[in-house]
Amino acid sequence: MERVVHTMPQDPKSEDEVVWITYVLRDGTKKKIRGKVGDNVMYLAHRYDIELEGACEASLACSTCHVYVDDAFANKLDEPKEEEEDMLDQAPALRPNSRLGCQIILRKDLDGMTVTLPQMTRNFYVDGHKPQPH
Ligand code: FES
């Protein structure tokens, strides 16, 4: 019988660290994730197989981790750095609440935040990627 391990090393150590975040996927499905203080919104998505690209591995050299932050929380985030603004300028379907997911680090006051994946991203990696036959 398959053994299921529930405790992951990244799990929050206490309830004080828990930060719930909801991802709205491209098809409109909502996925509520139990994250923790210090988690990066892009890497957290990857851990739960949410299709949020991160082509440059959080080095502020792409816009594939583009998300919309819901208005109630958009103002709570730190102002974007100049590099983030520059990359966002290249993201398709930019909105006032657009941010780069890899630059959002969860804090306790972001508990309950919703981020929405845009319908499209400009993905340099996939665009130039040739799928290998299986
Ligand atoms: S992953 Fe490239 S800027 Fe976020």
Side-chain angles (χ1 to χ4, degrees), residues 1-131:
M1 204 171 83
E2 200 178 315
R3 202 168 78 94
V4 180
V5 180
H6 291 283
T7 315
M8 294 199 298
Q10 304 100 329
D11 271 355
K13 288 184 191 68
S14 76
E15 285 303 309
D16 292 348
E17 287 191 346
V18 172
V19 183
W20 285 97
I21 169 167
T22 301
Y23 293 85
V24 182
L25 309 186
R26 294 183 214 286
D27 66 0
T29 310
K30 291 186 178 172
K31 214 165 173 182
K32 197 171 178 187
I33 302 293
R34 188 173 184 260
K36 67 173 190 314
V37 172
D39 273 341
N40 175 310
V41 164
M42 179 196 67
Y43 286 118
L44 185 66
H46 289 184
R47 212 188 296 157
Y48 289 92
D49 291 328
I50 292 166
E51 273 184 62
L52 181 59
E53 300 287 340
C56 79
E57 296 286 336
S59 59
L60 279 175
C62 75
S63 59
T64 59
C65 61
H66 178 203
V67 293
Y68 304 122
V69 177
D70 70 293
D71 290 338
F73 289 90
N75 297 335
K76 292 189 181 183
L77 299 178
D78 296 334
E79 291 288 311
K81 288 195 269 187
E82 209 178 309
E83 294 92 329
E84 181 178 349
E85 299 267 23
D86 289 348
M87 282 300 134
L88 277 171
D89 282 345
Q90 303 187 28
L94 193 67
R95 293 185 193 162
N97 61 342
S98 289
R99 295 300 297 258
L100 294 177
C102 73
Q103 301 301 306
I104 306 173
I105 306 300
L106 294 187
R107 302 186 310 238
K108 196 62 195 166
D109 64 334
L110 300 180
D111 189 33
M113 179 168 69
T114 297
V115 298
T116 303
L117 275 54
Q119 287 304 312
M120 36 174 201
T121 57
R122 186 164 291 151
N123 191 331
F124 303 108
Y125 175 72
V126 169
D127 288 348
H129 180 74
K130 293 200 177 48

